[in-house]
Amino acid sequence: FPSIGLIWADAGYANQVDNRLLAWAYETLRLTVEIVRRPEGAKGFQVLPRRWVVERTFGWLVRNRRLARDYERLTGNSETMVKIAMIRLMATRLAGQSARWSNRPATRSA
């Protein structure tokens, strides 16, 4: 994906990321990895920048029954199901339709 240049990583990965990994990502893949951290002195829940994008995407994916649980044995199958779910979402939006997430027929209220 040559159009990707920046990757945001959760602060939970901060202890696992060192300068060697950051240098490798930049030199090999031309990617900048940025750790999203909580502000100094923050207490309790606080919305972090760009974190909502990840949570929203997870919400879209979980609407697909096959992705609601870890049913797949192979990671390649899981990856394919994620791609199918996002293709379905994009196609629905491009067609200008609202997404229906079940096989039940749409009901009209009287």
Side-chain angles (χ1 to χ4, degrees):
F1 299 100
S3 62
I4 297 176
L6 174 64
I7 295 176
W8 286 295
D10 189 49
Y13 296 103
N15 294 334
Q16 299 173 5
V17 174
D18 60 1
N19 290 334
R20 290 177 298 157
L21 175 63
L22 299 178
W24 176 85
Y26 185 75
E27 292 168 5
T28 307
L29 306 172
R30 293 289 178 230
L31 294 173
T32 303
V33 178
E34 182 179 316
I35 305 293
V36 179
R37 298 181 187 277
R38 293 179 62 185
E40 293 292 326
K43 294 183 179 181
F45 175 78
Q46 187 170 15
V47 176
L48 300 177
R50 306 306 293 179
R51 179 65 185 253
W52 64 271
V53 175
V54 175
E55 298 299 332
R56 177 194 64 192
T57 305
F58 285 156
W60 289 340
L61 291 172
V62 171
R63 289 180 180 175
N64 294 273
R65 181 172 181 219
R66 187 101 176 234
L67 297 173
R69 300 280 185 264
D70 189 17
Y71 292 120
E72 310 301 333
R73 290 185 182 190
L74 303 175
T75 56
N77 294 354
S78 294
E79 181 181 348
T80 301
M81 293 308 298
V82 169
K83 287 179 181 177
I84 290 171
M86 295 312 287
I87 289 169
R88 177 182 179 203
L89 179 67
M90 289 172 44
T92 302
R93 289 185 178 176
L94 288 171
Q97 300 173 354
S98 62
R100 271 194 23 223
W101 299 103
S102 71
N103 291 330
R104 290 182 293 176
T107 59
R108 292 187 177 188
S109 46

